[in-house]
Amino acid sequence: MRDNSEVRKHNKKKIRQELRKNIRASKQQMSNMTGLSVATCNTLLNEMESEGEVISEKSLTSKVGRSTSIYSLNEHYGLYLCLEFSIVKTKRVLTWNVMTIYEHVLERSVETHDFLDESMLLKVITDIRIKYPRICSISIGTPSIAEHNIIKYCDIPELEGSSFVKELSLPVAIENDMHLKAYGYFKAECVENEIVTLGLFSEHLLPGTSTIVKGHIIRGANQIAGLVGFLPFGISREELKTKFSSDSHLEFTAKSIVSIIVALNPHKMILCGDLLNLREVELLKTTCANSIPEEYLPTFVYVEDMEKYYVRGMFHRALEVSEEYEHH
């Protein structure tokens, strides 16, 4: 049984979620949307207003001059830092966005480095927090396995073994980049009960997939769920990388996709990466139909650029880890 403080936090979360969706609401409207009593909404909204989290304005409700308070979230009360890093032709690319509760980007930066280790990342984050002291949580996307907020098997060798949680003293979510891209796509394009798998196929890199089942990221017991580069193709991992090239990848890409379809049976198969285009995706669908009857295949969707979904996935993880932190 939850104590009163837990119930209060849970009810505030309900109010916060409704204001994110509906932007503005009176106490009566909030009661209708959340199922909470008007009295409870009144108490919590007044408390959130006194703390600066919500703001109110008077609105006339009739011709006789009666007014009611209309509430909305204070967009700058809490900010969210979404930070990602990747490797492009040996260069380390660091991208970050400072975002509001309504997903508006206050500032975005893309930096290129020859070397990028934990101390450099911490300095970047510290500088951003000095500029934006209202940052309340951080989401970090990594091209790696992120096990218990520790970076493992990273494409950027100098970040191997890094973790930022203790040093940052605020809620932090470190997540595999594929998970975040798939999660962002789900949040933007899917309905609540859908299963969606994202597959990334890039030249001379081991492929990766990530699946969202009804809003939940499938990470597995130790975060390797979806790493189809570990499938037993009968050749070494280094040799497998060479097979993922423009003239030889179709067989291995199709086998990777078929394994995911058989195991998880998604509604949608989202495909991206520099090995693919619309024509390649149609070829893949035809090849997969040689193994699985076409009527059981998911909808194949090609997305050329996943960045907007990546940012959305990072934002939602930052939002979630902030709310999780409040309950501890």
Side-chain angles (χ1 to χ4, degrees):
M1 185 175 180
R2 293 185 294 186
D3 60 26
N4 288 337
S5 64
E6 284 298 306
V7 171
R8 182 178 291 269
K9 288 177 182 177
H10 178 72
N11 290 341
K12 281 187 177 182
K13 179 180 176 181
K14 276 186 172 182
I15 289 173
R16 197 177 293 120
Q17 288 174 335
E18 291 302 329
L19 285 177
R20 278 197 69 236
K21 290 186 293 185
N22 296 286
I23 310 300
R24 302 168 75 248
S26 67
K27 293 167 185 175
Q28 181 63 62
Q29 290 169 329
M30 184 57 66
S31 175
N32 295 339
M33 291 185 291
T34 61
L36 303 172
S37 69
V38 175
T40 297
C41 289
N42 179 62
T43 299
L44 295 179
L45 283 166
N46 287 341
E47 186 176 312
M48 294 168 79
E49 184 175 19
S50 69
E51 293 168 347
E53 185 174 1
V54 302
I55 54 179
S56 68
E57 58 182 286
K58 295 293 184 181
S59 176
L60 292 178
T61 58
S62 69
K63 292 181 180 179
V64 297
R66 296 185 63 183
S67 65
T68 187
S69 293
I70 303 296
Y71 294 88
S72 59
L73 290 171
N74 177 356
E75 189 169 14
H76 298 281
Y77 175 77
L79 303 176
Y80 304 87
L81 174 58
C82 301
L83 183 146
E84 60 180 272
F85 45 84
S86 60
I87 188 163
V88 179
K89 296 180 179 178
T90 74
K91 294 290 186 180
R92 281 67 170 147
V93 180
L94 173 64
T95 304
W96 55 265
N97 295 271
V98 175
M99 305 179 72
T100 73
I101 189 79
Y102 288 123
E103 261 181 275
H104 298 151
V105 177
L106 294 182
E107 186 175 356
R108 175 179 173 85
S109 176
V110 181
E111 307 170 7
T112 302
H113 302 268
D114 293 318
F115 182 84
L116 186 65
D117 64 4
E118 183 175 353
S119 64
M120 293 175 67
L121 276 175
L122 286 171
K123 184 181 184 309
V124 169
I125 293 170
T126 300
D127 289 344
I128 297 168
R129 291 179 67 189
I130 290 171
K131 185 175 182 180
Y132 295 98
R134 300 297 300 181
I135 288 173
C136 59
S137 67
I138 300 174
S139 178
I140 299 174
T142 83
S144 70
I145 295 173
E147 187 177 0
H148 306 301
N149 280 333
I150 299 172
I151 294 172
K152 298 182 176 181
Y153 298 98
C154 188
D155 290 350
I156 301 177
E158 58 266 30
L159 286 172
E160 188 74 24
S162 298
S163 178
F164 313 92
V165 177
K166 291 181 181 178
E167 290 87 345
L168 294 174
S169 66
L170 82 169
V172 180
I174 302 178
E175 191 80 67
N176 170 265
D177 53 1
M178 288 292 293
H179 290 333
L180 291 169
K181 290 172 185 176
Y183 193 42
Y185 185 93
F186 178 88
K187 287 290 187 180
E189 308 290 353
C190 299
V191 297
E192 189 175 347
N193 65 345
E194 280 190 304
I195 301 170
V196 59
T197 293
L198 170 68
L200 174 68
F201 297 89
S202 297
E203 191 157 19
H204 300 312
L205 292 176
L206 292 176
T209 71
S210 179
T211 299
I212 311 298
V213 176
K214 300 179 180 180
H216 298 283
I217 300 171
I218 304 303
R219 299 179 177 89
N222 52 17
Q223 310 293 320
I224 71 164
L227 293 183
V228 291
F230 289 141
L231 286 170
F233 288 108
I235 56 178
S236 71
R237 294 180 69 207
E238 288 305 311
E239 187 179 355
L240 182 60
K241 288 180 183 179
T242 68
K243 297 295 183 182
F244 283 96
S245 62
S246 57
D247 58 354
S248 62
H249 77 92
L250 189 64
E251 175 190 355
F252 296 93
T253 301
K255 285 181 178 179
S256 302
I257 293 171
V258 166
S259 70
I260 288 293
I261 294 171
V262 170
L264 294 165
N265 190 25
H267 295 91
K268 295 179 181 177
M269 187 79 209
I270 315 304
L271 296 169
C272 63
D274 59 17
L275 279 179
L276 303 179
N277 52 43
L278 279 173
R279 178 181 170 277
E280 291 280 348
V281 169
E282 286 302 314
L283 283 173
L284 281 168
K285 183 177 179 180
T286 301
T287 305
C288 290
N290 293 331
S291 300
I292 301 172
E294 190 168 355
E295 64 188 291
Y296 296 119
L297 290 178
T299 300
F300 281 61
V301 180
Y302 169 66
V303 178
E304 184 174 4
D305 185 1
M306 290 296 298
E307 182 61 22
K308 68 177 181 179
Y309 299 119
Y310 195 0
V311 173
R312 173 161 284 196
M314 284 188 286
F315 169 77
H316 281 280
R317 279 300 293 135
L319 197 64
E320 290 163 0
V321 77
S322 177
E323 291 172 344
E324 290 163 8
Y325 185 81
E326 288 181 5
H327 288 272
H328 286 83

